[in-house]
Structures are given as C-alpha cells and as structure tokens.
Amino acid sequence: MRHTVTESLRAAALVCAAVAVALFLVHDRTDGARWDVLAAVLATTACTGAWALLTRREAPLGPPEQAPGPMTALPSVLPRNPVDWYLTAGATVYAFAPWAVFRYAAHGEVHIAYVVLGALPLFTWTAVVLFLTVKHLLVRRLPEAQRLLAADARAGRVIAVRFESAGGEWNRIVPEDCTKLIDPPVEHAQHLKLQDAKGKWYGTHGLLSTLMGPDHARNQLAFFGPRFKGRQVWVYWPERWQPVLAATRNSNRPAYPVAVIADTGDMVWGYAALDYTDRYLTDPTNLHATTPGLRARPVRPRPYFRPAVHGRMLLWLALALAALTPVLLGLVSDELSALLGIVAALAVMGALPAARRGNTLVPDPSRWTLPPVVDFRTQ
C-alpha cells in the first residue's frame, strides 16, 4: 500500500509539472496574475514534498521474505534494462522547462531580437536533452560485450559460478599519481562484493554511467546489494570469453561482461575486472547449459528521498520558483520579467547536474558498505 501511494505521488508530481510547462508554452504573458500556472506549480510542490516525507526514511530492502531454493535451471534470456518511464517523462518535461520558462517571461515584453538570442541556446539544450533521453532511456542498447553474453546464454551455454553476495561496497581511493597532500581528491567506485565456495572474493561493477541521471547502474546495485545480501547468486560470463579478452586488452576499460542473477530470477548487468577472473573461465566444470525460454528479470530500483541528491535538486528548482513568482503575479516590469526568466531557466538547467553530483559523491550507508579510503600512493 505504501509503495502504491509513493508511486502515485511521483506520477502526480510529473503530471502537474507537465501541465505547468504546457501552460507556459501555450499561453502568452498577460496582465494580472496567472493563478492556473501557480496552482500547477504548487500542486507539483505538494506532491513532491509528500513523496519526500514518505520515503525519507525508507529502509533498504532486505532479503525476500521467503528464501527460494537454489536455482538449478539457468535463464537463457537476459533482457536489457527496462524502460524507466518516470525518469523518461521527467527528462522530457525537464527538456522543455527552461525554454518554456524563458519564453513565457520574455515573449511580447522585450525586443524580439533579445528573445531570439536567449532562445537559441535553450533550443539547443532542449534538443540535446531529448536526444539523450531517447538514446539512453528508450533505446537502452546494451554494450557489445553484454550483447555477446546474452547471445551465448540464448545459444545454450555460459560459464556460470555460484557465489554468496556480501552486498554493495562503495570504494573511495586516492590514485597513485595524485600529487596533492592536503585533502587529496578521492575517486569513487561501486561494486557488488561476492565470495565463492572456496572463500575467495570477487567483485562486479554496474554498467557504465550515462549522461542522463541519476545513474541507473549505481541505483541497481544499491537495490540488489541489500536485498540479496547473504544469499546465493549466479554470475554469468560468456562462453566465448577469449575474443572478449583479446578485445578488452586494448580498450580503456579492460573487463569481462557479467550478469549476476539471484535465485528469484532478478538480475543486474555489469563488468568484472580481468584480474582474478581466469580461475573461473578456465575451469571446464563451470560451463553450464541454459534453459531455453527461461527469462531473468533486470531489477527496477525503487527511488527514495535523499537530501544529498534530491535536496540539491529541489534547492535549484526553488530558486527557479522564487524568480518566477513575481512574474506570475504580474508584479515586475517587462525588462525585469525577461531577466527573471533567464535566472529561472538557468536554475532549472542546474537542477539535474546538482542531483548527479550528490548521487556520485555521497554514499548512502544504509545501502552500501563503506570501507576506509585507500591511498594507492602508499600501497
């Protein structure tokens, strides 16, 4: 029930935001207050605030209530990640919002040359965001190495090993070539920590991040890690690992493609470093047949409010709302209206990068294990 309510609030917030943007685009600025736009914006704020209150202390999902038996029939269908329709809809609204805000504040109130001058970069912004939305959120093409693994699974054989999941781990390192002594910059990496039957440790990383945020791969690991911590999982590698090895040795990110599959059928795509992997690939007993038609299910991360991520984004959106309120109430001159429209547009454009920075730099200790910072200069 709680999950249904929070999902309904997310959907309502997106609908109200889309209505506000549409009203900005459809109607020109007129004398007097625009209570219709203000109502849509306030409804968006109320739904977002309610969602934040309900999910701010969302406990990490633990293991399923009923532990399934060991999965002996290995899935042969490894689907790509599902469409995140909330993020897709939000990105579409986000693409038009800066242009809509500026267009409403400046249209018909200042010289047309200034409107065009301000609109050109915003048109470019909208085109780029829409392109990235289609490419990364709707097309969702798997990298070539993962497609090879999916093809091998579908053909009937993969290399698969049973591991116990130790949850997600957030690593922080100082690179060995860093020259700064005081507060050196720290690089971040997240992986799923695994242990095989012989007690040897292994780790898999999520798919590489994209320009559209928040990072889906990191969210998948943050979901999968606590949910299946302490449970047995299968790790797949392609049967044709030799050409993968030959190709990745010359790449910037030498790694094998992997799929981690729980006994429930939930899975995450990822990479595993070349180190420590050969011991599994060269053992002929690890070659297993897959079951035709049996599908795995890529996990769907459940979002929850995090001040370090959503709080930063909401601060930028609050700045945009503060700049727009005098315009919507009809309290400012024409020139000041256009200026406030620019401020609001820039604030909206800064919201998503602010959220991405928080998601990248600030770990959530309820979902990640946080080992001490490792300084590779002293190793």
Side-chain angles (χ1 to χ4, degrees), residues 16-345:
C16 293
V19 169
V21 171
L23 290 174
F24 278 130
L25 288 171
V26 171
H27 296 290
D28 296 336
R29 184 184 166 202
T30 58
D31 294 333
R34 286 295 304 274
W35 297 111
D36 53 346
V37 179
L38 282 170
V41 171
L42 290 176
T44 303
T45 304
C47 293
T48 303
W51 173 83
L53 287 173
L54 287 176
T55 62
R56 72 190 189 282
R57 295 179 180 175
E58 184 101 352
L61 294 177
E65 294 181 0
Q66 294 183 352
M71 183 171 61
T72 55
L74 302 186
S76 62
V77 182
L78 306 180
R80 58 187 176 177
N81 287 325
V83 176
D84 188 334
W85 290 110
Y86 287 103
L87 184 57
T88 302
T92 303
V93 174
Y94 183 68
F96 287 101
W99 156 246
V101 166
F102 173 75
R103 180 259 179 205
Y104 174 81
H107 183 69
E109 306 299 329
V110 297
H111 195 280
I112 188 62
Y114 295 106
V115 177
V116 173
L117 186 63
L120 285 177
L122 292 176
F123 269 128
T124 304
W125 159 268
T126 299
V128 170
V129 174
L130 288 177
F131 170 76
L132 294 175
T133 300
V134 172
K135 180 181 178 182
H136 295 302
L137 299 181
L138 292 179
V139 177
R140 308 175 333 280
R141 184 175 175 84
L142 284 172
E144 185 179 23
Q146 275 70 21
R147 296 202 305 272
L148 178 71
L149 172 55
D152 282 1
R154 190 167 51 251
R157 292 206 307 179
V158 293
I159 296 174
V161 175
R162 196 85 164 147
F163 287 87
E164 180 179 316
S165 173
E169 187 169 83
W170 187 296
N171 300 109
R172 295 162 295 173
I173 64 172
V174 178
E176 59 183 351
D177 58 351
C178 179
T179 59
K180 190 174 182 181
L181 299 179
I182 299 177
D183 296 327
V186 177
E187 296 181 357
H188 303 266
Q190 297 77 34
H191 71 269
L192 192 65
K193 194 173 182 180
L194 307 167
Q195 190 175 33
D196 65 18
K198 298 180 180 179
K200 295 181 178 180
W201 291 103
Y202 193 67
T204 67
H205 301 264
L207 290 180
L208 304 181
S209 61
T210 66
L211 292 177
M212 292 306 299
D215 187 345
H216 194 58
R218 183 180 291 111
N219 288 344
Q220 282 186 312
L221 291 183
F223 177 94
F224 193 93
R227 182 171 178 80
F228 297 104
K229 186 175 183 179
R231 297 296 180 91
Q232 295 289 314
V233 298
W234 285 98
V235 175
Y236 281 14
W237 297 271
E239 180 187 13
R240 294 173 288 175
W241 61 270
Q242 293 93 339
V244 174
L245 176 61
T248 56
R249 278 175 173 165
N250 297 322
S251 68
N252 294 328
R253 295 178 178 269
Y256 290 110
V258 297
V260 184
I261 307 176
D263 288 331
T264 58
D266 294 288
M267 66 162 285
V268 289
W269 286 105
Y271 290 93
L274 299 181
D275 298 336
Y276 313 115
T277 302
D278 288 348
R279 63 193 180 202
Y280 305 115
L281 302 180
T282 55
D283 187 346
T285 62
N286 292 332
L287 191 60
H288 293 270
T290 57
T291 303
L294 185 61
R295 296 176 62 90
R297 300 184 304 272
V299 298
R300 294 176 178 268
R302 181 181 298 178
Y304 60 101
F305 178 76
R306 290 184 58 203
V309 178
H310 303 97
R312 300 184 185 197
M313 179 175 64
L314 293 178
L315 284 176
W316 282 93
L317 295 178
L319 174 61
L321 178 58
L324 278 178
T325 299
V327 180
L328 292 173
L329 293 176
L331 301 177
V332 294
S333 64
D334 297 346
E335 291 76 11
L336 183 55
S337 171
L339 179 61
L340 291 175
I342 293 175
V343 172

